[in-house]
Amino acid sequence: MNTHTDPLSPGTHTYRTGGIVQRYHVHGSGPVCVAHPGGPGIFWEYLRMPALEEHLTMVYVEPVGTAEDSRLPSHPHGYTRERYSRFLQVLINRLGVPGVHLLGHSHGAFVAAHHALHRPEQVKGVVLYEGAPVTGPEHGAEAARRVEAFAARHAGHPRLPDVLAAFGAMAHISSDEQTVAVARSVLPSYFADYWGDEERLAPFRDAVRATYISGLDEDLVPEAIDDRTALTGLEPPALVVVGRHDVICGPRWAFELDELIPDSRLLVLENSGHMGHVEEPELFAEAVRDFVLRTGTV
């Protein structure tokens, strides 16, 4: 299905693996960095990082399940980290390079951590960008606390109720349309100052696309994540990146990741929320570029 002869030529690449369509998108030049977006179910475009593309060959994964022709038979269920990691390994093998750097954002950081823990052989380094070592009640309680703090900072804003209503609707999402609506509605809380920079950020928000993915495995069981013990043995070096104002995977988790991982560096973006590559693109790109160049030998 792929018309490109070079797996790292600029543009969109498509192939089939296990009967499932997999796409990835190549931009930029330099050492190879494979980027896995979040969600799960958020389309890859929001993670475009032009400032990084000036220094690195960015390979943006379009995770299986987002496009209609890439869905599992069990869709919207079955998209576990292990499943994403297996598809990621096939993609990395196809690139034909000795090793890559892996960058995961939000849910993609959970995927990247899993891949670096279980398939580290071709991973030169991993960027855990707005991730956490755990999911579940502890993670949820911290997020709820930070959402409350966001609400307190913006008390009286006429659109604050819409953001809070979207958080309340998250547990009841069951369609692509609802996923898109909720994703766009919560986004003001994902920035350090969305309403103060709305002219620039509104087009980003309006462009977000998403597919409903349940977070359950094929047996309809939620995937519980606790990487705390495993991360103490993580082999590849890591860069942990967090926005000071992130409400979903805030600084508490970045500090913990940095403490757990033997060879890690921590970057706190002081004027960012969950989207530091948009809010502070130069600082973000400089840190990732330097990390890739420093850890570029396998």
Side-chain angles (χ1 to χ4, degrees), residues 34-247:
V34 177
H36 201 289
I42 306 297
F43 275 74
W44 71 279
E45 296 98 335
Y46 85 92
L47 197 56
R48 277 292 302 272
M49 295 173 268
L52 262 185
E53 293 166 14
E54 296 177 11
H55 308 283
L56 306 176
T57 300
M58 296 302 302
V59 177
Y60 299 98
V61 181
E62 187 173 306
V64 293
T66 48
E68 284 191 31
D69 62 359
S70 72
R71 295 176 175 176
L72 300 174
S74 57
H75 185 88
H77 316 298
Y79 297 95
T80 61
R81 289 199 298 169
E82 174 59 20
R83 181 69 58 82
Y84 283 126
S85 176
R86 294 205 300 266
F87 278 99
L88 190 55
Q89 187 60 52
V90 173
L91 189 156
I92 291 171
N93 288 341
R94 290 179 67 93
L95 296 181
V97 293
V100 303
H101 285 79
L102 185 58
L103 182 153
H105 176 248
S106 195
H107 177 265
F110 289 99
V111 175
H114 181 89
H115 194 83
L117 284 167
H118 297 278
R119 295 175 174 88
E121 296 80 11
Q122 291 163 275
V123 179
K124 295 180 179 180
V126 60
V127 181
L128 302 178
Y129 171 32
E130 309 296 355
V134 296
T135 58
E138 192 177 356
H139 185 274
E142 175 69 4
R145 186 184 70 80
R146 293 186 67 82
V147 170
E148 288 176 6
F150 167 83
R153 286 199 308 274
H154 296 280
H157 194 285
R159 283 177 285 171
L160 176 62
D162 295 336
V163 176
L164 299 181
F167 274 110
M170 279 185 172
H172 308 291
I173 293 173
S174 60
S175 71
D176 295 352
E177 294 75 19
Q178 289 174 330
T179 304
V180 173
V182 168
R184 292 179 180 175
S185 295
V186 301
L187 263 184
S189 70
Y190 279 42
F191 291 92
D193 187 16
Y194 176 86
W195 289 309
D197 196 11
E198 190 164 9
E199 185 176 352
R200 182 174 74 93
L201 298 177
F204 175 92
R205 176 188 183 184
D206 294 342
V208 167
R209 298 190 298 149
T211 293
Y212 170 58
I213 288 176
S214 72
L216 307 177
D217 66 17
E218 292 94 331
D219 298 320
L220 307 185
V221 176
E223 182 175 28
I225 295 173
D226 188 342
D227 289 335
R228 284 168 166 151
T229 300
L231 285 170
T232 62
L234 184 70
E235 295 178 20
L239 172 65
V240 179
V241 182
V242 67
R244 175 70 70 185
H245 304 281
D246 187 6
V247 298

Side-chain angles (χ1 to χ4, degrees), residues 226-275:
D226 188 342
D227 289 335
R228 284 168 166 151
T229 300
L231 285 170
T232 62
L234 184 70
E235 295 178 20
L239 172 65
V240 179
V241 182
V242 67
R244 175 70 70 185
H245 304 281
D246 187 6
V247 298
I248 299 302
C249 291
R252 168 187 169 176
W253 303 120
F255 298 151
E256 189 166 339
L257 286 168
D258 185 46
E259 290 172 3
L260 288 167
I261 297 169
D263 183 2
S264 69
R265 294 192 177 189
L266 174 65
L267 169 65
V268 179
L269 295 169
E270 297 293 342
N271 299 304
S272 294
H274 198 63
M275 301 288 178

